[in-house]
Amino acid sequence: MNKHLGAQSVWFENVVSVNAAASVVGPKEGQGPLGKYFDIVCEDNLFGADSWEKAESEFARRGLDLAVKKSGLPMDNMDYIISGDLLNQSTGSTFGVIDTKRPFFGIFGACSTIGEGMALGSVLIDGGFAYNVLAGAGSHFCAAEKQFRFPLELGSQRPPSSTWTVTGHGAVVLSNLGEGPFVTGATTGKIVDMGVKDQNNMGAVMAPAAADTIASHLRDFNRAPDYYDLILTGDLGYVGRDLLYTLMKDEGYDISRNHKDCGIEIFDRESQDTHSGGSGCACAASVFSAYFWRKLKEKSLNKVLFVPTGALLSPTSFMQGENIPAIAHAVALETSR
Amino acid sequence: MNQQALAEERYKELVNAVTPDSKTGENCLRAFLCGGAICVLGQFINNCFTSAGFGKDPAASYTAVILVLLSVVLTAAGLYAKIGKFAGAGSVVPITGFANAVAAPAVEFKKEGLVMGVGARMFIVAGPVIVFGTLASMIMGLIYWFTRMR
Amino acid sequence: MYIKAFIVGGLICVIGQLLIDKTKFTPARILVLFVVAGCVLGALGLYAPLAEFAGAGATVPLPGFGYALYKGAAEEIDRSGFLGVLTGGLKAASAGIAAAVCGSFLAALCFNPKEKE
C-alpha cells in the first residue's frame, strides 16, 4: 500500500511510538520559564569540556544516552541513530555519537533537524527497517556565535530582531511498540527562499518555510488547523510568529488560536534579554522533549503538529551574498491512532 | 516582474512592517556618552605624557598604546563585551574598539592552537582596518608626493 | 579641552551608531569606513584642524587612526621622498598595532574564552 499522501506528505500505517524523550541544556535555558522541565541543566556552558565545540558533543552524548535510558532499552537495541547540529560537518553529533557504536545517519537541517530526524526515523520504523530509532539534535550558543557571527568577547550589539541560540540537546526514542504518543504522519518541507539576507532576523527567514509546510500539511491531510490542539513551530521567535500568522491568513488559515513557538517559550525575553526568542537545533529539540512530549504523554494535549524550522546558511554562502533559504518539517503526533 | 520577485517584494514590505527597529535615539545617546568618555580618558593620558615632558607625537603614540592595552585587558576579562552591549558604536569606533577586535578572536580561537588559531585568526575582524588603512594612506601619500613634485 | 574632546569624540561615535542601526553595516565595515575616511579627510587638510581643536576627541576614534596613517606618510615623504609612500603610514601606526598584537597574544595565553550572558 502506498503511504505517500498529497504533494509532500506521508502517513504511517504501523505503530511509531515516541517512547522516551530527554533534554540537556545550559544554565541560561535552565533559568528560563521551562527550566524545571529539563532533565539535566548543566552548571556552565563548557559542561566539563575544554572548548565550546567539545561541550556541544558532550551535550549530544548525554542527551542521547539519557533518552535511551528513559526508554528502558539498552543502547544496543537502537537500530539507528539520526542526529544533527549546527557545527561545520556536524562534528557536534559525530563526537557525541562515537561511543554508542550504533549505525548512524548524520543529518543537517539547521534548526529543523529534530523534525527531519523524527520524520526519517518514523519512515524507517513504519517501513519495517528498524524497531527502535534514536533521533536527536543539539546546538551551542558559544560555538554558533564563533562560527556564524563574531568571537564572544567582541563588543557588539544585537538588534531587536535577533534570536539567541539555545545551548543544549534534545533526543527522542521512536519504537514500533509502545503506548504513544504516536507519530501518525509527516510532511517534508521544501526549501523556501523569499530573498531575505538579514542574518539578524531569522524569524523573517524561516516564517515563509513554516507557512509553506503547515499549509501543505493541512492540504495533504485535508485537515483544518483546529484538528490539532497545538501547532508547535521551532524557533520563529516573536518576529517570525507575527509573519507566520499573516502568511497563513494569505493561505486561508487562521492558526493564531492554537499555535505556540518553542523559541518564544524557552526564554523570558524581558528578564533574559534574548530579544526575539530562542533558536538553534536545540531549541525545538529540547523544548519538545522537555515539555510538549510530556504533555502528550499525560494526554493534556492529544494532537500536536510539530514544525521545527531551519535557516539554511553557511558563513561562506552569507559572505558571498546569497539569500538565506529556509526549510520546515512537520511531524504529526497523536495520543491515539 | 515575475511572480517570485513580486512575492519577495511584498514579503520584504511585510517584514519591514513587523520587525522592530533598533532604539536609535537611546543607542546614539549611549554611544555619545561612552565614546566621549573614552576620548576624555585619552585626553587625560595624553596630558599626563605631555606634562611629563614628552613631545606631541610620542605622547599621542603612548596614549594609543595605553588605550590599546587597557582594552585588551578588559576584553580578556570579558568586560569589553559588556561595555560594547551597552555602548554600541561608542566602544567600537575609538581605538579601544580596534584593540578589542584584535584581542577577541585571539582569545576565542586559542583552542585551535597558537599558530593557526591565535596567530592566523587574530586579524579576522581588525585585519581589514589595517589593509584598507594602509592602502588609503599609500594612495593619499602618492597624491601628496605628486603634488610636491610640481 | 576635555569638554571639546568629549563632544567631538562622542559625535563621531554617534555617526558610527547611526551607520550600524540604519545600514546594517557590520562593525568591521564601520571600522574600515572610518579609517579610510580619516585618511582622506587628512589628505584634504580637514582633519588636522579638527585634531587641533578637539585633541583626543579626534585622535582616539578610528578616523584619527586613519589621519595618523596619512600624516605619517606625508611626513615620511617630506623626509625621504618616494619611499615614504610605502613606509610612512605603517610606521605611524606601528605602536598601536604592535601593542594590540603583543597584548592580544599574551591575553590568549593567559585567558580562556568567556561565555556571554
Side-chain angles (χ1 to χ4, degrees):
Chain A
M1 188 195 277
N2 198 317
K3 302 177 206 177
H4 198 271
L5 194 66
Q8 55 195 85
S9 300
V10 294
W11 64 278
F12 298 116
E13 186 184 12
N14 303 308
V15 168
V16 182
S17 173
V18 188
N19 282 350
S23 53
V24 186
V25 295
K28 189 184 180 88
E29 291 69 23
Q31 288 155 13
L34 299 178
K36 62 178 179 200
Y37 297 102
F38 297 113
D39 295 307
I40 300 176
V41 178
C42 64
E43 274 172 25
D44 74 283
N45 279 332
L46 273 175
F47 211 4
D50 66 2
S51 74
W52 311 129
E53 292 76 8
K54 289 176 190 171
E56 185 161 340
S57 295
E58 184 61 15
F59 276 101
R61 196 179 68 75
R62 296 280 290 272
L64 294 168
D65 268 357
L66 189 63
V68 173
K69 253 189 211 100
K70 286 173 101 177
S71 76
L73 295 168
M75 183 61 90
D76 286 350
N77 281 31
M78 297 298 123
D79 302 304
Y80 295 98
I81 296 174
I82 304 175
S83 177
D85 55 82
L86 284 182
L87 292 183
N88 284 335
Q89 283 73 41
S90 301
T91 50
S93 295
T94 304
F95 293 103
V97 166
I98 200 162
D99 291 335
T100 63
K101 310 269 187 252
R102 299 309 302 156
F104 170 60
F105 286 120
I107 55 172
F108 178 77
C111 319
S112 74
T113 301
I114 189 65
E116 188 176 351
M118 286 172 75
L120 290 171
S122 303
V123 166
L124 284 172
I125 289 173
D126 186 48
F129 302 105
Y131 302 105
N132 302 294
V133 174
L134 174 58
S139 54
H140 195 299
F141 172 79
C142 303
E145 288 288 303
K146 182 175 166 185
Q147 175 169 314
F148 287 99
R149 296 186 74 235
F150 297 114
L152 296 169
E153 292 81 3
L154 194 74
S156 59
Q157 280 173 328
R158 293 150 28 81
S161 60
S162 66
T163 48
W164 187 281
T165 306
V166 169
T167 300
H169 190 271
V172 294
V173 175
L174 307 170
S175 294
N176 71 330
L177 297 170
E179 285 149 18
F182 304 102
V183 182
T184 55
T187 301
T188 307
K190 305 190 290 270
I191 296 174
V192 176
D193 175 8
M194 288 300 278
V196 183
K197 288 180 191 286
D198 188 353
Q199 207 182 358
N200 286 315
N201 196 352
M202 287 303 178
V205 169
M206 297 185 292
D212 186 78
T213 299
I214 297 170
S216 300
H217 177 87
L218 296 173
R219 276 196 298 269
D220 288 350
F221 283 85
N222 196 20
R223 286 171 183 168
D226 59 13
Y227 175 86
Y228 292 102
D229 303 330
L230 176 68
I231 295 174
L232 179 66
T233 49
D235 54 356
L236 296 178
Y238 293 92
V239 176
R241 178 190 63 182
D242 294 351
L243 290 166
L244 174 66
Y245 290 172
T246 311
L247 293 170
M248 288 306 289
K249 270 209 186 88
D250 292 353
E251 299 268 359
Y253 297 109
D254 179 8
I255 61 163
S256 59
R257 274 163 316 193
N258 58 338
H259 167 266
K260 281 198 164 93
D261 183 69
C262 297
I264 293 174
E265 301 297 317
I266 192 167
F267 293 123
D268 180 85
R269 76 161 152 180
E270 301 305 328
S271 69
Q272 297 194 291
D273 196 28
T274 46
H275 300 259
S276 188
S279 62
C281 299
C283 183
S286 67
V287 170
F288 174 77
S289 301
Y291 187 74
F292 291 102
W293 175 78
R294 222 167 278 203
K295 293 282 150 196
L296 280 159
K297 194 78 192 160
E298 294 165 358
K299 303 205 175 177
S300 49
L301 287 170
N302 288 305
K303 295 184 171 116
V304 172
L305 186 65
F306 182 35
V307 193
T309 46
L312 305 175
L313 79 160
S314 80
T316 305
S317 74
F318 179 74
M319 274 195 272
Q320 293 186 355
E322 294 270 24
N323 294 340
I324 307 177
I327 197 160
H329 301 295
V331 180
L333 295 135
E334 301 182 57
T335 50
S336 58
R337 306 180 63 247
Chain B
M1 223 193 264
N2 65 30
Q3 214 162 6
Q4 172 71 17
L6 206 66
E8 282 182 21
E9 198 54 44
R10 237 200 95 229
Y11 186 60
K12 202 172 174 182
E13 284 168 23
L14 184 61
V15 170
N16 288 338
V18 169
T19 306
D21 282 326
S22 300
K23 294 174 197 143
T24 306
E26 195 187 317
N27 286 350
C28 282
L29 181 66
R30 291 192 297 205
F32 179 74
L33 293 176
C34 262
I38 294 172
C39 292
V40 167
L41 178 66
Q43 188 66 50
F44 173 74
I45 298 169
N46 197 60
N47 287 1
C48 289
F49 276 102
T50 37
S51 54
F54 285 88
K56 200 174 154 216
D57 283 350
S61 288
Y62 276 118
T63 304
V65 167
I66 287 182
L67 285 174
V68 163
L69 292 178
L70 186 67
S71 165
V72 168
V73 171
L74 289 174
T75 302
L79 294 174
Y80 206 88
K82 285 190 184 130
I83 298 172
K85 196 174 146 189
F86 174 82
S91 63
V92 170
V93 171
I95 190 147
T96 49
F98 170 78
N100 170 242
V102 179
V107 174
E108 187 71 46
F109 288 99
K110 76 179 275 194
K111 301 292 175 191
E112 282 75 15
L114 287 183
V115 176
M116 291 313 288
V118 179
R121 304 290 189 104
M122 193 181 270
F123 283 98
I124 51 167
V125 186
V129 173
I130 295 176
V131 171
F132 286 95
T134 306
L135 282 174
S137 81
M138 280 178 61
I139 292 166
M140 293 301 138
L142 210 55
I143 294 168
Y144 177 72
W145 181 71
F146 268 117
T147 52
R148 254 172 44 106
M149 295 259 292
R150 293 191 302 143
Chain C
M1 199 62 182
Y2 285 116
I3 294 166
K4 284 191 278 189
F6 184 82
I7 291 173
V8 171
L11 285 177
I12 294 174
C13 293
V14 168
I15 297 172
Q17 188 67 47
L18 287 171
L19 287 171
I20 291 178
D21 283 355
K22 296 295 173 196
T23 63
K24 310 265 173 211
F25 272 14
T26 57
R29 282 182 186 227
I30 308 271
L31 297 184
V32 166
L33 195 73
F34 272 25
V35 165
V36 173
C39 205
V40 172
L41 289 174
L44 295 173
L46 297 173
Y47 212 85
L50 187 67
E52 203 56 49
F53 171 76
T59 55
V60 167
L62 274 174
F65 191 67
Y67 164 63
L69 285 169
Y70 169 73
K71 203 171 118 207
E75 281 169 4
E76 202 62 25
I77 289 164
D78 287 338
R79 212 172 301 148
S80 48
F82 183 78
L83 197 61
V85 174
L86 293 167
T87 61
L90 281 179
K91 206 169 174 181
S94 57
I97 295 174
V101 169
C102 225
S104 299
F105 191 80
L106 284 174
L109 289 182
C110 303
F111 291 88
N112 279 319
K114 295 232 172 11
E115 56 193 82
K116 245 181 195 175
E117 282 144 33

